[in-house]
Amino acid sequence: MREISIERFIPDTTSDIERGFAEVLASVAHVEQVSIDSNFFNDLGANSLVMAQFCARVRKREDLPSVSIKDVYQHPTIRSLVEALIDTTSTPASAEQSVSVERTEVVTRASTLSYVRTGVLQFLIYFTYACLVGFVLDWGYGWIAEGSGWGDIYLRSVFFGSALFVGICGFSIAAKWLLIGRWKSGEFPVWGLAYVRFWTVKVLIHANPMVFFVGTPLYVLYLRALGAHIGKGVTILSRTIPVCTDLLTIGANTIICKESSFLCYRAHAGRIQLGPVTVGRDVYVGEKTVLDINTSMGNGTQLGHASSLQSGQVVPDKQHWHGSPAQPTHLNYLRVAPANLSTLRCFTEGLVTLLMVCLVFMPLVIIGSYALFTLGPVLSRLLIPGVIRITGPMFYIDALILSLVVFFGIGILRLVFVFTVPRLLNRFIEPDKVYPLYGFHYALHRTITVMTNVKFFNRLFGDSSYILNYLRGLGYTLSDAEQTGANFGSELQHETPFLSSVGQGTMVCDGLSMMNADFSSTSFRVSRVSIGAHNFLGNNLAFPVGACTGDNVLIATKAMIPLDGKIREGVGLLGSPSFEIPRSVERDNHFAHLWKGDERRKRLAAKNRYNIRTMGVVLFIEWLQILLFTLFAFVAVNLDNVLGPVGVAADMTLSLVVSTAYYVLVERIMTGFRPLRPQFCSIYDLYYWWHERLWKVPDTYLNIFNGTPFKNVVWRLLGVRIGRRVFDDGCYLTERTLTIIGDDCTLNHGSKIQCHSLEDGAFKSDYTILSVSCTLGVGSFVHYGVTLGNEAILAADSFLMKGEEIPARAYWVGNPAKALTSYRVKKPVPATQQICGVKQPIAPLKVLPAQEERQNRLAKQPTAPLKLPPAQEERRNHLAKQPTVHLMEERRDRLAKQPTAPLKSSPAREELRPHHLTEHTELMPALRVAFQTPSQKRAGQQDHSDEQAALLEELEAPTEKMPVCRPDLWEADPEKTLSGGKTR
């Protein structure tokens, strides 16, 4: 990666740098000339995409210092930008520069054989686990069916449900200790046998029902059973489950908020790296944070929301940090007073939760399934052993009736339930009042949160005008909201809807989290969160209580909402920690005329009609999936009667394949089996309404394939141009056909590639390209129009803005991301060799013990001199006494005396020969000089331009029959062929 320090330019005049910046900016802004005092945004009308292209082109110029997008926003003129770059030589290092990667990284590329072998082993493990589940369910259902009366059936359901719950939890714990033992710091390549063991344990931990008990003492006990070192009084609210639990240490009285990531592993440059995460006592970890491996937080420390600790960062005791990467701050993020929380209360909470599961939830599910088949005369016929009715018409009629009742009946009842029950429960919780954890009010608050965050309804009503009515029904304060047709996206979450307010004309993208509740390790408090009018909120934001933002504010993707300073109005906020940018520029107001008067009302009405049809399509897709699931459930019952657990496992596998194929087919039909194209249009354009429909196709099924080769197969079926052996541990792609991923890329958990943006009603999309062996860190975000060079790395929780270009083998970190200058990458030793045109693994030469012993014995024996015959020995001694130059002259004279036969050629060939050349060797020196290759020029060879000119003057003009050789052919495309390879 090219990194040029500003120090090398300081002795020269700054006018050269200013002139270079002006030339680059004029080219990207498409203007004739640029003044060094012109504001990039106000005077030139440039936006973030234009300035990102400016930074990328500056980095390619050897005569100019590198510039980041943050430098551009903080110094919006060429004069101030150059002065700031010069001043940085005497200022302390920034947070990005404090993150260093000292060791040299090696990109590991697995072989195709190990890649395929890993996929086969993962499938066999899945099928074996499915057989085990089928055997347990088959035996349990038969045992419950033997009960006499509903009382006996309930007791049997309690016993079987409790045993099933404990068995599933205990199975993952036992598998971890048997397959792994204790996790230790280290690394191993992906797609190997060590990775298969790692993946097996990870999947069993993530599929454990204990994930539903996050925020309770039972979840902490579960992590301790897996080997985590967790102190007393720790509360964990994040559903991101750590995998390498032996490397996790959390001190007493620590609180970890929602959507915090502390996995204790990461995928990096083709390898799985394991490292410790240490959190001290009395620590606060905010929402939407990332703790990378080899990080540590001291006692009494705090990490603010939307922040991250990069690998190697350490927060000293009693310090407060925020940002990505984190840096010190004076803010206090722990804003709720502690409460008296006794050990008895924690024990009671865990016991009550466990009893509710064993006595209520598990029996309810089991008895409900039993009653569904026994009470319905139509369905009871399926339980008769040996009866297979799959080919009969009644089989499909029964499935059709059941799917309609289940989907629409339960859906309507659930919507009514969501609108009524949480309102009744909310009457018992007072705003701004501190309550202790693990009590009556805490249970009510958790119930309200779970009931009102329904992803299906958000996806159904989101990105349309009808989301406002749904949110009002939940309890949002939207009395002054202005209908835009796209007020909220499809992904929205909150702690409580009854304390959420949104102003008039505000637009919110996907990923907003309303932080209505403040937590400590012993208490919580709910408060109102208010978003001002005419705001625009980007993706993946955490909006806290007490945010210092007012009206007319643009908050960029992954930006940190400020909690200190003045109330921001009429500005934009970017980065973590956030800094001010222009609210909007002239270039982004291209569709402003569509937001006024009759034109807006006409287009909004048309969009509403289109959204109604889209909602109908979503309902039909979901119902058809329920119908398929019902059919497979009936098939499983019949196969269980005939084949037993193996039939159930086969049905589970087949249903997974068919469901995946169904959703892939639905999405490809919606796109017409054609790839998307880059667009720039208004949200009132017909294309955008059609594009919105693609976001509503369910894609949660993709998480099942995380970390397996099957994920790449699904991506290809969806239209992603993805290379070979890509490791995807949970990356999300919004626009599949606009994404290009090269071979051997590494995509971490929680990373996202979004090939579009929506700013103030303008929709923009473009391609995003990841070259060979790129790495996206945990929780990283890549925008549209981005290109990552070969072996480039984007660190954890980093935000790569639109239009950026990362050079090859570069390491970028931060929000917004910028280059890390202390990073180096070396190319790996190839693991394969070409044998007869086929790549074969390079295996070390094996030496047998007898051969090794003989080699050692021969090495110890003295080497005898080589004996030659007397005649050869005499000749060698004679030649050794003669000087080398004399022998060469003697040989040359002898060859010169020999007559040289003239070259014979045909008469036609003689006519083509130039008559002004008397010898064959006259043309070669001219060609060697005239066609000097660029590699020879770069190697620093002597300049032969004078000799070239002299030789060309001696040669007469070529005849018409002589082919003309052009010296500029090498300059057209140096050292390149059509296939992209080197010329020889």
Side-chain angles (χ1 to χ4, degrees):
M1 183 186 75
R2 184 188 74 88
E3 285 297 333
I4 300 179
S5 174
I6 188 64
E7 294 179 356
R8 62 175 272 191
F9 299 99
I10 291 178
D12 303 331
T13 58
T14 59
S15 60
D16 294 337
I17 306 176
E18 294 173 348
R19 188 180 302 108
F21 282 173
E23 293 175 358
V24 176
L25 183 58
S27 63
V28 297
H30 303 291
V31 295
E32 294 184 358
Q33 59 183 2
V34 174
S35 172
I36 61 174
D37 295 317
S38 298
N39 189 284
F40 302 147
F41 308 101
N42 298 335
D43 299 333
L44 300 178
N47 55 14
S48 56
L49 179 61
V50 173
M51 299 314 299
Q53 295 172 351
F54 165 76
C55 297
R57 295 193 183 183
V58 166
R59 284 191 293 270
K60 296 179 181 179
R61 293 272 298 262
E62 294 288 345
D63 58 333
L64 296 176
S66 298
V67 180
S68 67
I69 192 67
K70 186 175 181 179
D71 299 330
V72 169
Y73 275 116
Q74 293 181 335
H75 311 286
T77 64
I78 294 179
R79 186 189 300 276
S80 62
L81 180 61
V82 174
E83 293 176 353
L85 292 176
I86 296 177
D87 292 340
T88 54
T89 59
S90 59
T91 57
S94 63
E96 292 85 352
Q97 296 172 342
S98 65
V99 180
S100 62
V101 181
E102 299 295 340
R103 70 179 184 276
T104 304
E105 298 289 345
V106 178
V107 179
T108 303
R109 296 181 177 91
S111 64
T112 304
L113 177 62
S114 59
Y115 177 78
V116 175
R117 180 183 58 191
T118 301
V120 172
L121 291 176
Q122 289 172 331
F123 173 76
L124 293 177
I125 292 171
Y126 167 79
F127 190 79
T128 302
Y129 185 77
C131 290
L132 180 61
V133 172
F135 174 78
V136 173
L137 295 179
D138 178 66
W139 177 85
Y141 186 84
W143 181 69
I144 293 174
E146 294 176 357
S148 58
W150 288 104
D152 189 18
I153 292 176
Y154 171 76
L155 294 177
R156 289 172 180 255
S157 300
V158 170
F159 180 81
F160 176 72
S162 303
L164 182 63
F165 175 78
V166 175
I168 295 177
C169 297
F171 185 79
S172 61
I173 297 173
K176 181 263 177 185
W177 290 106
L178 291 175
L179 295 177
I180 304 297
R182 286 196 175 275
W183 296 101
K184 298 180 181 179
S185 299
E187 60 181 25
F188 50 86
V190 299
W191 313 128
L193 296 180
Y195 171 73
V196 172
R197 292 190 299 147
F198 167 83
W199 173 84
T200 303
V201 174
K202 184 189 74 170
V203 169
L204 291 175
I205 291 176
H206 286 178
N208 201 287
M210 288 303 300
V211 68
F212 298 107
F213 300 95
V214 169
T216 67
L218 288 178
Y219 182 68
V220 176
L221 292 176
Y222 173 66
L223 294 182
R224 287 173 181 166
L226 290 171
H229 308 281
I230 302 179
K232 180 182 178 181
V234 173
T235 301
I236 301 177
L237 303 176
S238 176
R239 291 183 175 270
T240 304
I241 304 178
V243 177
C244 305
T245 47
D246 298 285
L247 302 175
L248 177 63
T249 302
I250 303 177
N253 302 321
T254 291
I255 175 69
I256 299 179
C257 295
K258 295 187 309 179
E259 299 187 59
S260 297
S261 177
F262 46 100
L263 301 173
C264 298
Y265 83 91
R266 68 177 182 181
H268 191 83
R271 302 181 69 85
I272 299 294
Q273 297 180 346
L274 315 181
V277 174
T278 304
V279 181
R281 302 187 308 272
D282 303 312
V283 174
Y284 176 87
V285 180
E287 187 169 334
K288 289 184 180 292
T289 55
V290 176
L291 303 181
D292 206 351
I293 62 173
N294 303 320
T295 55
S296 176
M297 297 183 65
N299 298 329
T301 57
Q302 295 183 16
L303 182 65
H305 63 276
S307 304
S308 68
L309 289 181
Q310 300 297 323
S311 181
Q313 281 193 296
V314 177
V315 182
D317 293 345
K318 305 297 183 181
Q319 290 194 12
H320 301 177
W321 285 33
H322 69 182
S324 182
Q327 58 191 24
T329 180
H330 65 279
L331 284 174
N332 179 22
Y333 286 94
L334 188 59
R335 299 192 169 193
V336 57
N340 185 17
L341 186 63
S342 62
T343 306
L344 179 61
R345 178 186 287 266
C346 297
F347 175 79
T348 305
E349 173 73 12
L351 181 61
V352 171
T353 303
L354 188 60
L355 292 177
M356 288 289 293
V357 172
C358 296
L359 301 180
V360 179
F361 294 113
M362 294 299 293
L364 183 62
V365 173
I366 295 173
I367 294 178
S369 302
Y370 176 78
L372 183 64
F373 285 98
T374 57
L375 297 182
V378 177
L379 304 179
S380 61
R381 295 195 297 268
L382 295 173
L383 300 180
I384 302 175
V387 177
I388 302 180
R389 314 166 40 249
I390 300 177
T391 58
M394 291 302 300
F395 175 81
Y396 299 97
I397 295 176
D398 295 343
L400 179 63
I401 295 174
L402 181 61
S403 62
L404 290 173
V405 172
V406 169
F407 180 72
F408 291 100
I410 295 180
I412 295 174
L413 292 177
R414 190 178 184 184
L415 188 62
V416 174
F417 185 83
V418 165
F419 285 164
T420 55
V421 175
R423 290 182 179 272
L424 298 177
L425 300 180
N426 186 61
R427 295 180 177 273
F428 298 94
I429 300 179
E430 298 181 15
D432 301 319
K433 182 178 180 179
V434 178
Y435 294 101
L437 296 179
Y438 311 137
F440 174 71
H441 296 89
Y442 181 69
L444 293 181
H445 172 70
R446 284 171 52 85
T447 304
I448 293 174
T449 303
V450 172
M451 286 184 177
T452 55
N453 284 283
V454 183
K455 293 184 179 181
F456 170 73
F457 290 138
N458 287 337
R459 188 173 71 252
L460 178 63
F461 298 110
D463 296 307
S464 69
S465 300
Y466 308 101
I467 185 66
L468 294 181
N469 299 325
Y470 171 71
L471 294 179
R472 287 193 184 100
L474 289 181
Y476 274 68
T477 303
L478 303 173
S479 56
D480 297 329
E482 178 183 353
Q483 184 62 261
T484 63
N487 294 80
F488 292 90
S490 302
E491 298 178 8
L492 174 67
Q493 60 179 348
H494 48 260
E495 291 285 348
T496 172
F498 307 104
L499 296 174
S500 302
S501 302
V502 181
Q504 182 180 14
T506 292
M507 298 182 63
V508 179
C509 293
D510 289 339
L512 174 64
S513 176
M514 305 285 279
M515 300 171 56
N516 309 93
D518 292 317
F519 290 91
S520 72
S521 60
T522 59
S523 60
F524 81 100
R525 177 187 61 198
V526 293
S527 303
R528 179 168 293 277
V529 171
S530 298
I531 301 177
H534 302 290
N535 284 3
F536 177 83
L537 276 63
N539 299 92
N540 292 25
L541 296 177
F543 208 98
V545 176
C548 294
T549 58
D551 299 337
N552 194 27
V553 179
L554 182 145
I555 304 177
T557 296
K558 286 181 70 68
M560 174 186 289
I561 310 298
L563 292 174
D564 61 337
K566 63 179 181 179
I567 301 297
R568 280 76 166 177
E569 292 186 346
V571 298
L573 297 176
L574 173 66
S576 177
S578 59
F579 54 90
E580 294 187 6
I581 62 175
R583 171 63 176 85
S584 62
V585 297
E586 184 65 27
R587 197 179 295 260
D588 291 334
N589 296 329
H590 186 75
F591 304 105
H593 64 283
L594 301 179
W595 289 72
K596 301 176 182 178
D598 296 336
E599 183 68 21
R600 176 178 176 275
R601 286 192 294 269
K602 181 178 66 174
R603 290 178 176 265
L604 180 59
K607 186 179 187 301
N608 291 339
R609 292 191 297 269
Y610 195 94
N611 289 151
I612 291 178
R613 296 195 296 270
T614 299
M615 293 167 60
V617 171
V618 172
L619 292 175
F620 177 77
I621 293 173
E622 291 286 353
W623 167 75
L624 195 56
Q625 170 61 18
I626 295 296
L627 176 61
L628 291 176
F629 179 79
T630 306
L631 291 174
F632 277 104
F634 286 176
V635 171
V637 173
N638 282 274
L639 291 179
D640 180 67
N641 294 334
V642 178
L643 302 177
V646 179
V648 177
D651 182 77
M652 292 174 59
T653 305
L654 184 61
S655 62
L656 176 61
V657 174
V658 173
S659 298
T660 302
Y662 168 72
Y663 284 125
V664 170
L665 183 62
V666 167
E667 184 166 336
R668 297 311 299 268
I669 290 176
M670 284 189 175
T671 59
F673 294 92
R674 295 189 301 270
L676 301 176
R677 300 296 181 188
Q679 296 288 334
F680 177 47
C681 62
S682 169
I683 64 170
Y684 296 130
D685 190 276
L686 181 62
Y687 172 83
Y688 176 72
W689 307 343
W690 172 81
H691 196 106
E692 280 182 321
R693 186 173 290 178
L694 296 177
W695 298 336
K696 295 180 179 293
V697 179
D699 49 20
T700 54
Y701 67 94
L702 292 169
N703 297 328
I704 302 175
F705 303 101
N706 289 342
T708 68
F710 306 105
K711 183 73 171 292
N712 299 334
V713 176
V714 177
W715 281 137
R716 289 190 182 97
L717 294 175
L718 289 172
V720 180
R721 283 173 279 182
I722 189 169
R724 298 170 296 175
R725 300 178 302 275
V726 173
F727 177 76
D728 185 352
D729 197 33
C731 182
Y732 183 72
L733 313 179
T734 56
E735 281 77 24
R736 325 335 183 165
T737 55
L738 292 179
T739 306
I740 303 173
I741 302 175
D743 295 345
D744 300 295
C745 285
T746 304
L747 313 177
N748 271 275
H749 170 80
S751 57
K752 186 175 184 179
I753 301 177
Q754 179 174 298
C755 299
H756 75 271
S757 73
L758 184 64
E759 298 179 7
D760 288 336
F763 174 79
K764 309 171 188 176
S765 64
D766 203 349
Y767 294 100
T768 295
I769 303 174
L770 274 65
S771 301
V772 177
S773 302
C774 293
T775 298
L776 299 184
V778 177
S780 58
F781 194 105
V782 178
H783 233 169
Y784 71 94
V786 165
T787 301
L788 279 74
N790 294 341
E791 301 179 12
I793 295 176
L794 184 64
D797 197 50
S798 298
F799 173 43
L800 189 60
M801 291 188 58
K802 53 192 175 184
E804 288 280 15
E805 296 182 16
I806 299 184
R809 302 180 184 90
Y811 192 110
W812 280 39
V813 61
N815 181 4
K818 63 183 298 186
L820 185 63
T821 57
S822 61
Y823 181 77
R824 298 185 301 118
V825 178
K826 73 177 182 181
K827 292 187 177 181
V829 178
T832 60
Q833 60 182 345
Q834 290 281 353
I835 300 178
C836 298
V838 180
K839 289 187 176 181
Q840 300 290 345
I842 300 177
L845 181 63
K846 295 183 179 180
V847 182
L848 298 177
Q851 294 177 341
E852 186 177 2
E853 181 181 356
R854 183 174 181 272
Q855 291 176 359
N856 296 334
R857 185 173 66 255
L858 293 176
K860 296 178 181 179
Q861 297 179 358
T863 305
L866 180 63
K867 294 183 178 181
L868 298 175
Q872 294 184 3
E873 185 74 21
E874 182 181 358
R875 177 174 174 80
R876 188 181 66 173
N877 296 334
H878 173 72
L879 294 176
K881 296 178 182 180
Q882 300 295 330
T884 306
V885 178
H886 174 71
L887 292 176
M888 294 179 62
E889 292 178 353
E890 182 181 352
R891 182 174 182 271
R892 185 180 59 185
D893 294 341
R894 185 172 65 252
L895 293 175
K897 295 177 182 179
Q898 298 178 359
T900 304
L903 181 65
K904 296 180 179 181
S905 59
S906 62
R909 191 178 295 271
E910 279 293 332
E911 293 181 3
L912 294 176
R913 182 182 176 187
H915 299 287
H916 59 277
L917 295 179
T918 59
E919 296 183 4
H920 297 285
T921 57
E922 290 186 5
L923 184 61
M924 300 310 297
L927 293 179
R928 282 198 300 268
V929 175
F931 300 107
Q932 186 179 12
T933 63
S935 60
Q936 294 173 335
K937 295 178 181 178
R938 290 194 299 268
Q941 295 183 359
Q942 183 179 0
D943 186 11
H944 299 280
S945 57
D946 297 335
E947 182 182 356
Q948 171 188 352
L951 287 173
L952 292 178
E953 288 177 1
E954 293 178 3
L955 299 177
E956 299 179 3
T959 63
E960 296 180 357
K961 297 183 179 180
M962 178 180 177
V964 179
C965 298
R966 293 176 50 195
D968 60 340
L969 288 178
W970 274 100
E971 303 297 334
D973 194 6
E975 296 188 336
K976 292 288 185 179
T977 63
L978 292 178
S979 60
K982 298 286 185 179
T983 57
R984 299 296 184 185

